Amino acid sequence: MVRLLTALTRYSVIAVTIAVALAVLVLHVAGFAEAGRWLAIGYVSVIVAWTVGDMARDVIRGNFGLDVLAVVAMVATLLVDEYVASLIIVLMLTGGEALEDYAARRARGELTALLDRSPQAAHLIVDPENEASGEVRDVAADDVDVGDVLLIRPGEIVPVDGELLDAEAAFDESSLTGESLPAPKEAGAEVLSGSINGSRAVRIRTLRRSGDSQYQQIVALVSQAQASKAPVVRIADRFAVPFTAVSLAIAGVAWWLSGDATRFAEVLVLATPCPLLIAAPVAFLGGMSRAAKAGVIVKGGAVMEQLARVRSAAFDKTGTLTQGRPQLVAVRAEPGFHADDVLALAASAEQYSSHVLAASIHRAATERELPIRPAEAADEVATNGVVATIGGRQVVVGKPAYVASLAPDTRRVELRSGETAAYVAVDGRFAGVLVLADHARPESPAVVTWLRAHGVRRVAMLTGDTQDTAAAIAADVGITEVHAELLPPDKVQVAARLRPRPVLVIGDGVNDAPMLAAADVGIAMGARGATAAGGAADAVLLQDSVTGVADAVSLGKHTLRTAYVAIWIGIALSVGLMLVATTGAIPAVAGALTQELVDLATIGYALRALAGPLARLPEGPGVSTRLASQGALPGRGELG
């Protein structure tokens, strides 16, 4: 009963239309047919006036809608005294809203599931230093501060990102990484919010507040995706004028040939626009839901449409085409400098940098147990390097051109494929080079090949790294167009010049946010919480694999194709039935009821977007084996 009342409240116009139809039927049976006739005429006239008002507002905004057909059909049926058919048309139009809502809720299932699992509460250990007290207080997840110690009970969702305090534990991270097997963790490991604890209670120390944690970033992206609107109006409008003209022409010819105005109404009741208006939103919501299930959050139907039409692609290098985990392989110290001293000074300076190489340099120095000293002063020049005063010595770490501007004797070194370098200067003298290796992701060549085979005519690399390093990685993944040593504004300019359009840009870091925002379609590698890039992008990959780029394009193409086919099914069925109606074989009431079947057919086809195919990547060294071992894309049986 509660559900029925909720439905009636949500679809009040439908409820009123049904009530009026029942009243007309009762009056007819009771011998008051004329009263029922005037009730129907009055009610339908109100609906016509309401619809005309909406149409006028749309025209003022520059949109020519399809409601003109419904209005003409309702008026025509009233003029020929087919008032029962006019009521059915009203019910069909308002019922279309309910059908669309049902289909949309089904299509939105994966997006809604992510929101429903959003952690709301946390168990705060009041006095973590005194474990004997055992006092635990439940607080809102938003009220948890960095450094708080939380208790995570068996089977509970981790509310915030934290550091594991117990010796070992296992967490289900499938909603974040796609990995179906529990992920084992040891003390000190990072535990991501949104993961599900295993069979034993554990403690974590909060690393980030709720709003900054991994799962909440995903939830924010999903909420944005749900709030966005598919390009329904645009797609419907492409068919509005020709479909309206054809329908009126068929109805007019039928009237002229038969000499019966009723024939005009009988044809037009089969021309109502529900299939065109419903098919597109259902298909786009289905495509967005399918993408979310595959680990790609797409921020709106317009993005799905752009993904389907992509003709050029530009990739960032580090962390996108490469694995983003550089390892120190050599320290080439200049005469007068010791390798350990160069590494220790560089690591001390790099602790104040957010660059991906900084973490690798710091980690290498820590593993060698070299001293990491605090700086008296430190300043990072975004994408170029960092200058720090360490123990009274000025240390510069960064790109060769930047280091050379402060140490003129800096010279470039030769690097092998997959290697990159951080140049170091101390007190104005070139001190040496830290050589790191960051190899291409095993799946990157297959993704580039797949894009070229599916309509992407131009693929480029945009990177701030040196030309030699960029060229080596580009050769490994099959990209021939390389733009290296770019600053963030340079990346934006190069992306803007790329042709043909639309241009797809893929990046992972904060410095990629400007070019992602400026692209026709920007995709962020968001698996490691690159919130700035994710916020600027049109779509975000939740899994640490560039395979999601191919999946996004594949699902975009399937979704747009499904939307158009569903629309054409509706048009074909409507036109076919209209032609039959010109013979008088379909009475107005029967035609109005038949049109509902056309609605169901188009909705049923549009829901095929829920089963869109992921990209079938070509076989390549390590592609299938790597993804299978990581569990990054569960169920990808189509990978060769």
Side-chain angles (χ1 to χ4, degrees):
M1 180 60 71
V2 174
R3 288 185 178 181
L4 178 60
L5 291 175
T6 301
L8 290 176
T9 302
R10 179 181 299 172
Y11 309 115
S12 56
V13 178
I14 298 176
V16 173
T17 304
I18 293 174
V20 170
L22 289 175
V24 170
L25 178 62
V26 170
L27 289 171
H28 184 79
V29 172
F32 300 98
E34 189 65 14
R37 173 175 172 271
W38 282 108
L39 174 61
I41 291 173
Y43 179 69
V44 174
S45 297
V46 171
I47 297 297
V48 168
W50 182 16
T51 307
V52 168
D54 288 341
M55 286 172 52
R57 285 188 289 272
D58 285 341
V59 170
I60 291 173
R61 289 192 294 265
N63 297 323
F64 178 83
L66 287 157
D67 287 338
V68 63
L69 283 175
V71 170
V72 174
M74 287 186 283
V75 172
T77 49
L78 288 179
L79 291 177
V80 299
D81 210 27
E82 291 282 0
Y83 58 88
V84 174
S86 66
L87 277 175
I88 294 176
I89 294 173
V90 173
L91 185 61
M92 178 179 58
L93 286 173
T94 54
E97 178 186 348
L99 287 172
E100 179 183 350
D101 184 67
Y102 165 76
R105 279 187 284 113
R106 180 183 170 191
R108 200 183 282 120
E110 290 297 327
L111 297 177
T112 304
L114 283 169
L115 293 177
D116 290 344
R117 293 184 66 255
S118 178
Q120 302 297 323
H123 310 306
L124 176 67
I125 299 177
V126 176
D127 186 5
E129 301 300 327
N130 182 16
E131 296 187 14
S133 68
E135 185 179 354
V136 177
R137 184 172 73 245
D138 286 351
V139 297
D142 291 339
D143 294 335
V144 175
D145 290 321
V146 174
D148 285 347
V149 177
L150 305 180
L151 175 68
I152 312 298
R153 293 175 177 141
E156 286 189 336
I157 299 174
V158 179
V160 295
D161 294 350
E163 175 188 357
L164 182 63
L165 298 180
D166 291 283
E168 58 182 21
F171 296 87
D172 177 0
E173 297 180 342
S174 57
S175 63
L176 301 171
T177 65
E179 172 58 78
S180 57
L181 298 176
K185 304 279 186 181
E186 296 181 351
E190 183 173 352
V191 180
L192 297 177
S193 62
S195 56
I196 302 175
N197 187 24
S199 59
R200 50 186 295 190
V202 296
R203 297 164 304 141
I204 65 170
R205 177 175 286 109
T206 303
L207 294 177
R208 302 175 191 89
R209 290 181 56 83
S210 175
D212 299 324
S213 293
Q214 177 79 354
Y215 198 77
Q216 291 301 330
Q217 295 296 327
I218 295 173
V219 167
L221 294 171
V222 172
S223 298
Q224 185 176 348
Q226 281 199 325
S228 64
K229 190 173 183 180
V232 179
V233 175
R234 285 187 327 207
I235 289 181
D237 282 354
R238 294 169 194 168
F239 296 89
V241 173
F243 183 69
T244 300
V246 168
S247 301
L248 291 174
I250 293 174
V253 170
W255 184 2
W256 176 63
L257 291 176
S258 66
D260 184 0
T262 302
R263 196 66 50 82
F264 182 82
E266 290 173 347
V267 171
L268 280 188
V269 296
L270 289 161
T272 48
C274 287
L276 303 189
L277 297 176
I278 294 174
V282 170
F284 279 101
L285 284 169
M288 291 165 61
S289 183
R290 177 68 181 96
K293 188 174 183 180
V296 184
I297 301 298
V298 179
K299 301 179 185 178
V303 179
M304 295 295 291
E305 184 176 6
Q306 285 285 69
L307 283 168
R309 304 182 190 279
V310 164
R311 292 296 175 267
S312 301
F315 287 85
D316 172 51
K317 182 183 73 67
T318 305
T320 302
L321 288 172
T322 66
Q323 299 179 46
R325 301 183 183 89
Q327 301 292 322
L328 183 69
V329 294
V331 179
R332 300 180 187 175
E334 289 292 289
F337 293 93
H338 191 277
D340 284 350
D341 293 336
V342 172
L343 177 56
L345 288 170
S348 299
E350 288 282 59
Q351 65 183 315
Y352 301 99
S353 171
S354 60
H355 194 275
V356 64
L357 296 182
S360 300
I361 293 170
H362 188 275
R363 182 171 59 250
T366 302
E367 290 173 352
R368 300 186 187 190
E369 298 182 350
L370 299 176
I372 308 296
R373 288 174 285 179
E376 291 92 62
D379 182 31
E380 181 177 21
V381 179
T383 76
N384 275 316
V386 61
V387 180
T389 304
I390 310 292
R393 307 179 74 181
Q394 185 193 60
V395 180
V396 184
V397 186
K399 292 181 178 179
Y402 177 66
V403 174
S405 68
L406 300 174
D409 62 332
T410 300
R411 59 181 182 82
R412 290 180 179 252
V413 299
E414 292 186 3
L415 300 172
R416 292 179 295 183
S417 174
E419 291 183 342
T420 188
Y423 287 70
V424 184
V426 178
D427 292 333
R429 290 178 55 204
F430 180 42
V433 174
L434 307 179
V435 181
L436 301 99
D438 183 21
H439 299 291
R441 295 175 183 269
E443 73 271 23
S444 291
V447 170
V448 171
T449 301
W450 187 92
L451 289 174
R452 284 205 175 97
H454 289 80
V456 180
R457 288 152 49 187
R458 185 177 182 182
V459 182
M461 175 193 290
L462 310 184
T463 179
D465 213 335
T466 61
Q467 179 67 38
D468 292 343
T469 302
I473 294 296
D476 288 344
V477 302
I479 293 177
T480 56
E481 182 178 347
V482 179
H483 302 270
E485 301 186 31
L486 301 177
L487 297 175
D490 300 328
K491 290 184 178 182
V492 173
Q493 293 175 10
V494 173
R497 293 196 302 266
L498 288 180
R499 295 292 185 277
R501 315 292 292 194
V503 173
L504 169 65
V505 173
I506 307 96
D508 78 312
V510 173
N511 64 318
D512 296 324
M515 72 171 181
L516 293 177
D520 295 322
V521 185
I523 295 182
M525 303 283 291
R528 298 176 196 163
T531 56
D538 300 299
V540 179
L541 307 184
L542 302 184
Q543 298 154 355
D544 191 21
S545 171
V546 77
T547 309
V549 175
D551 288 338
V553 174
S554 176
L555 293 175
K557 289 179 179 295
H558 180 267
T559 299
L560 187 61
R561 184 166 56 248
T562 299
Y564 273 117
V565 171
I567 287 173
W568 278 111
I569 287 174
I571 290 175
L573 290 176
S574 294
V575 171
L577 289 169
M578 281 190 285
L579 292 175
V580 174
T582 60
T583 66
I586 306 178
V589 173
L593 293 172
T594 302
Q595 186 64 23
E596 286 292 344
L597 300 178
V598 177
D599 291 353
L600 291 174
T602 55
I603 289 174
Y605 191 89
L607 285 172
R608 284 169 54 89
L610 284 168
L614 301 182
R616 184 186 294 273
L617 294 181
E619 281 282 0
V623 175
S624 299
T625 55
R626 175 183 182 273
L627 295 177
S629 65
Q630 284 192 349
L633 296 172
R636 292 186 64 90
E638 61 271 27
L639 280 176

